Amino acid sequence: MSNIVSLDELAKFARRKGFIYQGSEIYGGLANTWDYGNKGVLLKENIKNLWRQYLVQSRVDMIELDSGILMNQRVWEASGHTETFADAMVDDKKTKHRFRADHLIEEQLGIDVEGMSGEEITKIMSENKLLNPKTGKEGDWTEARYMNLMFETNRDKINPSNEETRIYLRPETAQGIFVQFKNILNTERKKLPFGVGQIGKAFRNEITPGNFNFRIVEFEQMEIEYFITPPSKDKQWNKVFEEWLDLQKKFLKVGLALTDENLQQKEHSKEKLSHYSKRTVDLEYNFPFGFSELTGLAYRTDFDLSQHMKFSGESLEYMDPTTGEKFIPHVIEPTVGVDRLFLAILCQHYREEKIENDTRIVLGLPYKLAPFKVAVLPLMKKDGLGEKAQEIFANLRARGLMCDYDESGSVGKRYRRQDENGTPWCLTVDYDTLSDGTITLRHRDTMEQERVKIDELSEWLDAKKF
Ligand code: GAP
């Protein structure tokens, strides 16, 4: 069940267990930044590998790219980001708190201000007594001003206002794929339809109400640009769109074990579509603050390739190998943020179980997501048990199995620690191990134990994956 704990409690749990720390914590933090600890790194890596497995590597029509964070500033002019990638902001003059005006108006008045000018938004704000959500009192609001969300820097440190040398940190990974489309066509010799997947960092100067790591300024995206024949020649785009929607759902439900009741589909109305999109469907997750966007799927038409053709002067056309006809492909884009998936996974799989007068906290992660698959625990450090346990640990790691080693505290406490880490199996080395070569394996969810021969451990674990 999602939402059994508050977001604050979940953030405390994630920090206590070394999944996520507040960014720059010893300096009082930096708003909307988070760092991933050891288990966080491992869980994130597993999320990315599963995405690759489900959406990229299982398909013959998919390849990958790793493009740079920094690109020629013209990329962002062509994509429309320098012009339109902005949110309207208002400040409370008394408290200096800053908010997104669209969020305040939507939450307090139920009005959608998408596409409105700064003046129109200011008028709505002044005609209605909007509250400052941080104080609960009526705010003394500034005019609404649009702020571009792209971070920028300048190569020319002597003259930082030199516009020629301005560089943006990319706000999405997608554009890297469009910009390399010509090279990809020439080197990969792929026929339409085919897609390019990319995992990488993106940056947005977000002002947020602070929903843990839901909306952050530095995050990782996993995006696919799937190139298809334009609908003027092949009307099948909606079929391809639905296939990708199904695959996104399969990844969330089967790969990450997010449950049906915590997922919902949201079709964007025509008025809410981005400037580049003909159809967009989000999959939303039931976070503690309500259903919110987890993944996106957009039919971007030929908008991006056409724009880059126009701005770069290079041809980004595809030549049909059978007819010799040239055209600009259209694109369907499945996209998702790794950090948001991370949060949904914590919400979904965190549980508290009452056992007599005690509470057992379990992170019931599927085997493939678990940071550690096995924890090796010697009953005692002495009498050669520690050495034997370390030997087993080293053998498992050498086999490529990510396992943990823990020799401090009672075995009961160590079991509980691993339940919180999400480790499916605890492997205990005791005196019998030294005499008959067996170990005990204890299962995280059932807490049942089984005696297994060390020599048969590999096959046993392979058979028990869940
Ligand atoms: N290329 C299309 C694109 O970037 P988007 O809806 O703006 O579309 C795609 O972003 C996904 O990236 C979202 O569905 C979300 O999972 C993730 N994402 C976007 N902004 C984010 C932020 N500030 N923090 C964390 N994840 C974010």
Side-chain angles (χ1 to χ4, degrees):
M1 265 288 280
S2 173
N3 304 350
I4 59 159
V5 282
S6 70
L7 210 56
D8 273 358
E9 282 171 273
L10 209 58
K12 278 187 198 138
F13 167 79
R15 180 177 180 273
R16 176 169 67 78
K17 296 303 296 178
F19 281 96
I20 305 186
Y21 309 121
Q22 191 190 355
S24 315
E25 191 180 297
I26 62 168
Y27 288 98
L30 175 68
N32 304 324
T33 65
W34 298 89
D35 294 341
Y36 289 83
N38 185 44
K39 290 174 209 87
V41 171
L42 295 171
L43 174 50
K44 234 164 108 167
E45 218 38 50
N46 295 339
I47 296 170
K48 290 191 260 182
N49 285 337
L50 270 180
W51 178 84
R52 264 215 177 95
Q53 192 182 315
Y54 273 78
L55 283 91
V56 179
Q57 290 176 344
S58 61
R59 303 180 57 119
V60 286
D61 55 355
M62 288 295 302
I63 53 169
E64 288 188 78
L65 178 77
D66 183 6
S67 68
I69 286 168
L70 308 180
M71 290 193 268
N72 190 308
Q73 55 171 274
R74 302 261 296 150
V75 170
W76 307 110
E77 284 167 34
S79 67
H81 282 83
T82 43
E83 186 82 4
T84 59
F85 196 56
D87 288 334
M89 302 290 171
V90 285
D91 295 347
D92 183 342
K93 289 184 227 161
K94 278 191 211 122
T95 62
K96 309 275 183 261
H97 292 140
R98 178 167 288 177
F99 298 95
R100 271 179 64 171
D102 59 337
H103 285 175
L104 286 184
I105 294 173
E106 184 137 13
E107 278 154 22
Q108 296 183 37
L109 304 174
I111 301 172
D112 183 358
V113 300
E114 182 105 358
M116 284 190 194
S117 68
E119 290 79 47
E120 286 168 307
I121 293 173
T122 303
K123 188 158 177 280
I124 295 178
M125 296 278 303
S126 60
E127 284 171 358
N128 296 277
K129 295 183 187 318
L130 289 183
L131 302 180
N132 174 335
K134 287 197 177 148
T135 61
K137 295 187 187 137
E138 190 186 333
D140 181 8
W141 303 110
T142 59
E143 286 181 359
R145 288 145 305 156
Y146 273 95
M147 182 176 88
N148 194 290
L149 296 187
M150 283 195 292
F151 282 107
E152 56 184 79
T153 182
N154 204 305
R155 276 206 143 148
D156 187 348
K157 295 287 166 199
I158 296 168
N159 179 15
S161 55
N162 182 352
E163 291 196 359
E164 300 280 298
T165 48
R166 181 181 292 161
I167 303 183
Y168 297 101
L169 302 195
R170 68 178 175 198
E172 62 169 14
T173 57
Q175 296 303 323
I177 300 176
F178 298 124
V179 168
Q180 286 300 349
F181 184 66
K182 191 175 176 180
N183 278 329
I184 293 170
L185 272 188
N186 289 341
T187 57
E188 299 301 324
R189 311 205 153 270
K190 283 282 189 197
K191 286 196 194 133
L192 291 185
F194 75 90
V196 183
Q198 168 156 237
I199 301 178
K201 289 260 183 173
F203 302 82
R204 294 181 191 178
N205 192 5
E206 305 267 17
I207 305 292
T208 77
N211 285 332
F212 193 15
N213 68 337
F214 178 77
R215 198 182 296 285
I216 45 187
V217 295
E218 175 183 348
F219 55 101
E220 256 181 306
Q221 285 188 316
M222 303 192 284
E223 300 203 288
I224 288 169
E225 303 308 325
Y226 193 74
F227 299 98
I228 57 171
T229 310
S232 56
K233 300 177 198 320
D234 177 359
K235 306 239 176 301
Q236 298 290 304
W237 74 265
N238 214 16
K239 186 166 163 274
V240 180
F241 191 97
E242 293 291 338
E243 280 167 11
W244 279 104
L245 190 56
D246 285 347
L247 200 51
Q248 283 183 310
K249 287 182 191 166
K250 190 172 165 198
F251 166 59
L252 298 182
K253 292 185 197 179
V254 185
L256 309 184
L258 304 182
T259 48
D260 259 334
E261 73 270 17
N262 285 326
L263 289 167
Q264 72 180 21
Q265 185 171 321
K266 188 176 124 189
E267 178 97 33
H268 285 220
S269 63
K270 290 263 176 307
E271 304 75 57
K272 289 212 84 174
L273 288 175
S274 310
H275 59 284
Y276 54 72
S277 178
K278 272 262 162 60
R279 185 183 175 197
T280 298
V281 173
D282 292 344
L283 294 175
E284 299 186 327
Y285 184 77
N286 187 15
F287 291 101
F289 44 88
F291 275 98
S292 302
E293 179 186 341
L294 194 56
T295 73
L297 181 65
Y299 171 32
R300 294 179 78 120
T301 66
D302 60 357
F303 174 81
D304 303 271
L305 287 180
S306 301
Q307 284 292 101
H308 288 302
M309 259 179 82
K310 202 157 95 193
F311 278 70
S312 68
E314 292 275 342
S315 169
L316 300 176
E317 283 182 319
Y318 169 86
M319 190 175 76
D320 188 315
T322 40
T323 63
E325 200 186 347
K326 283 185 170 179
F327 53 83
I328 305 172
H330 281 225
V331 159
I332 286 170
E333 179 195 67
T335 174
V336 64
V338 182
D339 311 80
R340 249 177 225 190
L341 287 176
F342 195 110
L343 180 59
I345 286 164
L346 287 187
C347 293
Q348 179 73 53
H349 297 296
Y350 176 97
R351 64 173 192 265
E352 292 175 2
E353 292 174 2
K354 289 270 173 260
I355 306 176
E356 291 160 12
N357 293 331
D358 198 8
T359 304
R360 183 172 89 109
I361 295 176
V362 183
L363 197 59
L365 297 172
Y367 183 89
K368 285 196 171 166
L369 284 180
F372 303 116
K373 314 305 177 195
V374 176
V376 181
L377 320 174
L379 189 64
M380 310 271 184
K381 283 181 241 176
K382 58 184 188 182
D383 300 332
L385 295 183
E387 285 82 354
K388 186 71 195 168
Q390 285 186 23
E391 182 192 311
I392 294 172
F393 171 86
N395 283 339
L396 290 177
R397 282 257 175 127
R399 273 185 51 205
L401 194 85
M402 184 44 75
C403 49
D404 196 12
Y405 180 81
D406 187 1
E407 58 179 23
S408 65
S410 71
V411 169
K413 281 215 174 92
R414 284 184 265 166
Y415 282 161
R416 289 295 177 85
R417 236 176 257 153
Q418 294 299 336
D419 292 342
E420 294 184 341
N421 292 348
T423 311
W425 301 105
C426 281
L427 182 162
T428 311
V429 174
D430 56 21
Y431 288 99
D432 288 341
T433 312
L434 302 181
S435 57
D436 66 7
T438 60
I439 37 96
T440 302
L441 280 154
R442 179 253 193 197
H443 184 227
R444 177 193 67 203
D445 296 334
T446 62
M447 292 189 278
E448 279 167 11
Q449 304 193 3
E450 214 177 303
R451 204 79 201 166
V452 178
K453 283 202 155 72
I454 299 176
D455 298 343
E456 293 165 11
L457 185 59
S458 294
E459 298 82 67
W460 191 89
L461 282 172
D462 281 345
K464 291 283 179 178
K465 275 183 195 168
F466 57 92

